[in-house]
Amino acid sequence: QGRFRISHHALDRTVREAISNPNDHKTLGALRPLSSAVVESLSLALKMPFKRYVEIGRVAFVTYGKEYGRLVVIVDVIDQNRALVDSPEMVRGQINFKRLSLTDIKIDIPRVPKKKTLIDAMETADVKNKWENSSWGRKLIVQKRRASLNDFDRFKVMLAKIKRGGAIRQELAKLKKADVA
Amino acid sequence: MGNFRFHQYQVVGRALPTETEEHPKIYRMKLWATNEVRAKSKFWYFLRKLKKVKKSNGQVLAINEIFERKPTKIKNYGVWLRYQSRTGYHNMYKEYRDTTLNGAVEQMYNEMASRHRVRQHCIQIIKTATIPSKLCKRESTKQFHDSKIKFPLVFKKVRPPFRKLKTTYKASRPNLFK
């Protein structure tokens, strides 16, 4: 990886420590935040296992609290623990990173955009579709559906499962017969 | 927005009018307290130290709570305070990054308690101000003045989304990465 040589004099001691111990999470944690250029070069040189970064435009999923289950966009970073977060249906507010789960989706927005700019950017990046087609998004939709079934629906699901099991077993029997023969 | 422990109040008061002084000077203070009663008490405490007036020969003319003008905008707050340590009084200047002044003041009280073991009643806020990014002094606030800020979340604590799902034992080991 000769192209991505980092000048060690340009980086300070903590960064140098992190480079020499790439698996030491404690020094890596103390590094944040770094300027984006340094992070890029580090992640290429170290092959840092981090693919999802807290950055302006990162879409995150709220995993705790009143806003549970909502997709929000990180619009600015307040400090080490909190981000300013926005979404088309909510008032812009702060949220702790501990309540967020970063997703793979990132949209292109300036720092702290107006609501309209944010909505337009989300449309162009097609966040809703990307989310619903991702495996994480699909799982959530299925979970929601299952939780909202009524008894009749569960009965129908039971019949469908039996039918599916029967079809699988038929195919398996056919394959076994073909194998033996 | 926030459930703040410390509210900012504006207290306006003056000495009671007497025959010698028909219209005494009116003083206004902006201070932080947990409730209005405490705010009025603090007002008299400070005013007594500055002017020759006490609660018994004075009156509070108005007390209003001050709310944040723009609670969705991130600001750098500088707080000047005077606190009592075990050995004497000291002045301090601290910087906080927050969306509201009440939030920054709450951060300040928490930090003073944790870093210096100073309790709430031993802290006097001299002054607070919103500081533009250029004039910030502390590295820990200046490191967030990056429009292209980017960092990974290194350690993800697995947390049940509501307390009902919280159990002592879990079926599988948690995934702490991402």
Side-chain angles (χ1 to χ4, degrees):
Chain A
Q1 296 281 9
R3 271 184 297 162
F4 304 109
R5 216 179 317 147
I6 302 172
S7 153
H8 278 229
H9 300 292
L11 304 171
D12 70 5
R13 213 189 89 241
T14 46
V15 176
R16 245 181 280 142
E17 261 176 33
I19 292 175
S20 45
N21 322 320
N23 292 318
D24 187 346
H25 279 188
K26 185 152 157 268
T27 42
L28 278 177
L31 279 182
R32 65 169 151 115
L34 300 173
S35 80
S36 52
V38 180
V39 171
E40 296 288 355
S41 48
L42 263 187
S43 92
L44 288 165
L46 284 186
K47 297 191 185 54
M48 282 221 296
F50 300 112
K51 302 228 172 37
R52 299 172 183 167
Y53 294 89
V54 167
E55 52 198 328
I56 293 166
R58 173 70 54 183
V59 175
F61 181 76
V62 179
T63 52
Y64 190 86
K66 206 170 69 107
E67 307 286 329
Y68 176 62
R70 219 198 267 282
L71 270 188
V72 291
V73 179
I74 293 176
V75 136
D76 202 354
V77 171
I78 300 176
D79 62 19
Q80 200 184 2
N81 303 320
R82 293 174 297 163
L84 198 59
V85 125
D86 206 357
S87 162
E89 306 104 32
M90 66 181 245
V91 181
R92 197 192 305 155
Q94 67 172 4
I95 193 167
N96 196 318
F97 287 128
K98 293 187 180 177
R99 294 190 173 195
L100 288 181
S101 238
L102 304 178
T103 65
D104 288 323
I105 310 172
K106 179 181 181 304
I107 65 177
D108 202 9
I109 46 167
R111 227 191 68 185
V112 192
K114 289 204 198 321
K115 208 48 165 241
K116 196 170 163 307
T117 333
L118 177 73
I119 295 178
D120 289 337
M122 286 183 86
E123 291 288 307
T124 47
D126 209 12
V127 169
K128 198 166 182 301
N129 280 335
K130 275 207 204 138
W131 176 245
E132 280 167 11
N133 295 334
S134 72
S135 55
W136 189 352
R138 272 183 282 140
K139 273 191 272 187
L140 284 180
I141 292 173
V142 168
Q143 276 177 13
K144 250 196 219 136
R145 183 88 182 86
R146 286 198 183 145
S148 65
L149 292 175
N150 63 27
D151 191 53
F152 184 45
D153 287 330
R154 276 181 296 222
F155 177 73
K156 285 191 274 184
V157 168
M158 177 188 72
L159 292 182
K161 276 192 182 165
I162 292 172
K163 203 167 179 187
R164 181 180 75 167
I168 291 175
R169 251 173 265 126
Q170 267 191 334
E171 282 302 315
L172 188 60
K174 277 193 216 156
L175 286 172
K176 276 200 193 151
K177 222 157 71 153
D179 210 27
V180 162
Chain B
M1 223 250 96
N3 209 0
F4 299 114
R5 216 173 108 219
F6 292 99
H7 300 265
Q8 190 183 13
Y9 293 98
Q10 169 192 263
V11 188
V12 181
R14 65 168 190 176
L16 286 167
T18 61
E19 306 93 38
T20 43
E21 190 145 8
E22 290 286 304
H23 298 288
K25 223 171 191 186
I26 304 179
Y27 296 99
R28 175 186 91 131
M29 261 197 103
K30 285 204 250 179
L31 35 85
W32 272 268
T34 43
N35 53 36
E36 284 191 7
V37 175
R38 283 215 166 124
K40 282 193 265 185
S41 169
K42 272 222 174 124
F43 170 74
W44 289 121
Y45 169 77
F46 286 119
L47 203 57
R48 253 186 300 138
K49 294 193 176 298
L50 298 168
K51 300 287 160 200
K52 193 102 160 120
V53 63
K54 289 179 174 186
K55 184 174 173 199
S56 52
N57 52 14
Q59 55 183 183
V60 164
L61 298 171
I63 172 163
N64 310 98
E65 186 168 354
I66 301 177
F67 298 100
E68 184 68 33
R69 237 212 187 141
K70 289 227 179 116
T72 55
K73 181 165 179 281
I74 300 177
K75 302 173 264 296
N76 311 296
Y77 292 101
V79 180
W80 285 260
L81 50 129
R82 174 176 185 249
Y83 74 98
Q84 184 181 18
S85 70
R86 292 178 194 148
T87 38
Y89 282 90
H90 308 272
N91 292 335
M92 246 190 197
Y93 166 71
K94 287 193 159 288
E95 275 179 14
Y96 297 101
R97 233 173 110 75
D98 205 318
T99 49
T100 63
L101 187 46
N102 286 353
V105 163
E106 199 167 333
Q107 267 188 294
M108 182 274 292
Y109 277 110
N110 287 333
E111 194 182 337
M112 290 303 288
S114 61
R115 291 225 154 102
H116 306 283
R117 305 290 189 258
V118 177
R119 275 91 198 173
Q120 175 209 337
H121 52 267
C122 294
I123 294 175
Q124 299 174 0
I125 299 175
I126 302 170
K127 175 176 152 186
T128 59
T130 322
I131 316 257
S133 318
K134 276 191 289 294
L135 302 176
C136 280
K137 284 169 62 178
R138 305 285 184 241
E139 278 306 314
S140 52
T141 40
K142 293 211 298 206
Q143 67 180 349
F144 292 100
H145 294 153
D146 181 3
S147 65
K148 300 209 176 39
I149 196 166
K150 177 173 168 173
F151 53 88
L153 291 180
V154 171
F155 175 78
K156 172 186 117 182
K157 180 179 158 187
V158 183
R159 190 180 186 183
F162 23 93
R163 296 200 54 190
K164 191 152 157 249
L165 295 177
K166 178 180 170 195
T167 56
T168 330
Y169 300 103
K170 294 277 178 199
S172 48
R173 299 195 92 177
N175 176 16
L176 301 171
F177 179 69
K178 290 210 183 304

